Structures are given as C-alpha cells and as structure tokens.
Amino acid sequence: QRQLVESGGGLVQAGGSLRLSCAASGSISSINTMSWYRQPPGKQRDLVAGIMSNYRTVYVDSVKGRFTISRDNAKNTVYLQMNSLKPEDTAVYYCNADILYTGSDTYTSLWGQGTQVTVSS
C-alpha cells in the first residue's frame, strides 16, 4: 500500500524534545526530496525542513539550530529531531515525500496523515 505513516508526536513542556518519524511503504524504487511541514491552529501549512536525495538540507529560519532532519534510505524513512521546543512550535506536523514506485516513470508526491505536537509553556 502506498502511504506515509508518521509517528512520534505528543505533548511536551517548553524546552523539551520530540522525534518524529515518517515511513514510506509500497514497492519503491527511489525517493527524492523528503520534507516536514506544519500547520498551527487556524493557519496555513508551511515548510519546516527538507532533505534532498543528496542529503542537502533546508530549514525555515525559526527552527534552525533546534531541529534536525535526517533520512534512512534503507528504511525509506525521514526523521525530524526537535529540541528546545517552544509553544509556538505547536502544530500538526505532516511529512511529504516524492516517491518513484517500481514500474512507474514519474514521481508521486505523498502526504502523511499528520501528527499533533503540543508544547506547553
């Protein structure tokens, strides 16, 4: 089944840490960019961090130095390590991946179901 399954969200106090995981399933040939987005209550969904197939990373300024994105290609999984969390990091976090499935010649962009991260002050 072609899907992204996220885990690792929860409730944490300000200054704490959480690690999000997102695993892709299906018959996969390769994965290009893998990213994390977040959507705070009443706001739009925005990019948090992305990691390319060459392991180059990008981050939104507000999380630089606190969040780290990484990937394990053998497990088709992307991670987001979040440290020094702040109340303003509270949001639903979504992963996104551009996946080339076996037998296809085009990449498919998939979204995870979202995982809630709540940071209390």
Side-chain angles (χ1 to χ4, degrees):
Q1 188 174 3
R2 298 179 176 184
Q3 60 180 356
L4 297 177
V5 178
E6 303 168 8
S7 60
L11 173 64
V12 65
Q13 289 188 329
S17 298
L18 284 174
R19 188 190 194 211
L20 305 182
S21 300
C22 173
S25 62
S27 183
I28 297 171
S29 291
S30 65
I31 303 178
N32 196 358
T33 301
M34 306 183 83
S35 306
W36 287 97
Y37 288 72
R38 66 185 179 188
Q39 186 168 17
K43 297 185 178 181
Q44 66 182 25
R45 187 179 304 185
D46 289 322
L47 177 69
V48 176
I51 182 166
M52 289 60 168
S53 56
N54 61 3
Y55 295 92
R56 179 176 174 265
T57 59
V58 294
Y59 296 93
V60 66
D61 285 347
S62 60
V63 307
K64 286 181 180 177
R66 299 189 298 123
F67 291 11
T68 302
I69 189 170
S70 60
R71 63 191 288 168
D72 184 336
N73 289 336
K75 297 181 179 180
N76 293 323
T77 298
V78 61
Y79 306 96
L80 186 67
Q81 177 67 45
M82 305 185 293
N83 299 328
S84 302
L85 282 161
K86 304 176 180 180
E88 52 264 43
D89 294 318
T90 295
V92 178
Y93 283 69
Y94 298 88
C95 65
N96 174 263
D98 296 325
I99 301 173
L100 183 65
Y101 289 100
T102 303
S104 176
D105 58 0
T106 58
Y107 281 83
T108 299
S109 181
L110 281 190
W111 288 92
Q113 80 281 5
T115 185
Q116 178 69 46
V117 171
T118 302
V119 184
S120 62
S121 57

